[in-house]
Structure formats: structure tokens, C-alpha cells
Amino acid sequence: MEKMNIAIFVSGSGTNCENLIKYFADHASIKPALVVSNKPDAYALVRAERLGVPTAVTPKADLNNPDVMLPLLKKYDIGFIVLAGFLPLVPNFLIDAYPHKIINIHPALLPKYGGKGMWGHHVHEAVKAAGEAETGMTVHWVTPVCDAGEIIAQFRVALSPDDSVDDIAEKEHQLEMKYFPKVVEDVISGNKS
């Protein structure tokens, strides 16, 4: 069986990226073939290189240029894209080129705390400010509207009123580490749609 090559798009430190690469290291049908970042100093690039996965830096002008992105993804025979802490909006031409083949992880229970400016600590601060009794992670399909794609999976964790923003972030991050690779695997393998 031919492996499905995936590209992981990142903007930050890359803990999810590293987790995905390790999870799929010896997988029978899924191979992390490329890590793409919009930021040249993203630590995710270091993590990927250490694990032997090719990397590419695509600043905004490149990300939004079909003549750069499509040949790059074709070069690595990419069949599926996973956003793992990728901040820019995915351009429409990529969504059109990869219909129902791009997913994103979001550090909240969408539709709450999604949309422009809602990423990382901003999300956890909003959850804390609202006094939520729970938080969680959402995996969803990517559409032209930020964080508005159909939800594939959600995982929840209870919060205490005493939890700090950092506590909330850590609880949510543990969900990502535990569940995200399996959701990616299920979606690509056709066990979830």
C-alpha cells in the first residue's frame, strides 16, 4: 500500500508537530513528508529537522502564491495537510487544491473562542475570563472562514475556578498530545469524515 504523504503546517514551537512525526514514524500508510512554517525562527523547524523531516519556510507572500505553494507540495507528493499551530489563514487556492484534505487543531471547544486573534494564550485567557467549567480541543476541517469548518472531533477537560491561564493551557495541551495524532490517523484512514 502506498503511503499518504502529509504536510504539517506550523508557526510556533512545534510540540504537536513533533508528536505527529513520532506517532507516524513507522506507520504503514501515513508519512510526515514535509513541515511548512510561515516563520523562519519557528522551533518546530528544528524539531522536524532533528527527526529527519524536510522543512520549508513560506513567508506570507509565498504562502499566498500558488506558483510557490502548489509546486512545493507537489514536490513532496503531499496528499493531506495538517495545521498544528499554524496562524495564517490558509489561502483559498490551497483549500481548492486539497478539498476535504486540510484539518486544523484549535485549543478550545469551538464554536466558542474561535476566529481571528483567537490562538494560543489568547484563547486560554478568554476561557479563564469567562469562568468556563471546562475547556478542550477541537479538530475541524479547514474552510475559507477562520475556525468555521465542520467539527471532526472534540475532547474536553474540567476546569477549576483556581486554575490559572497557564493551568488551563497545560490541561488543554495534554489533550492535544493524547488525542491529536489518532484523530489525524482516523481521518486519513477514512475512519472519520
Side-chain angles (χ1 to χ4, degrees), residues 39-137:
K39 296 184 174 183
D41 60 347
Y43 193 68
L45 297 170
V46 175
R47 293 178 192 268
E49 286 163 4
R50 282 184 185 154
L51 294 168
V53 177
T55 62
V57 176
T58 57
K60 189 173 185 176
D62 289 350
L63 175 66
N64 290 307
N65 184 343
D67 296 331
V68 172
M69 291 305 296
L70 295 177
L72 172 67
L73 297 172
K74 185 174 183 181
K75 175 182 174 182
Y76 291 94
D77 192 27
I78 300 301
F80 201 91
I81 298 171
V82 178
L83 308 185
F86 188 66
L87 299 183
L89 275 176
V90 174
N92 287 348
F93 72 83
L94 264 186
I95 295 170
D96 292 343
Y98 288 85
H100 226 59
K101 292 192 179 350
I102 307 175
I103 61 174
N104 181 46
I105 186 169
H106 186 78
L109 296 169
L110 291 175
K112 288 183 172 183
Y113 311 110
K116 187 172 172 56
M118 278 291 146
W119 54 273
H121 246 59
H122 303 290
V123 173
H124 306 308
E125 287 166 359
V127 168
K128 173 72 176 169
E132 294 284 359
E134 65 177 2
T135 191
M137 60 167 267

Side-chain angles (χ1 to χ4, degrees), residues 16-40:
N16 273 304
C17 176
E18 181 174 348
N19 197 26
L20 288 166
I21 292 169
K22 287 179 175 176
Y23 185 88
F24 292 113
D26 298 312
H27 199 275
S29 59
I30 299 168
K31 177 186 175 188
L34 179 65
V35 171
V36 175
S37 180
N38 61 310
K39 296 184 174 183

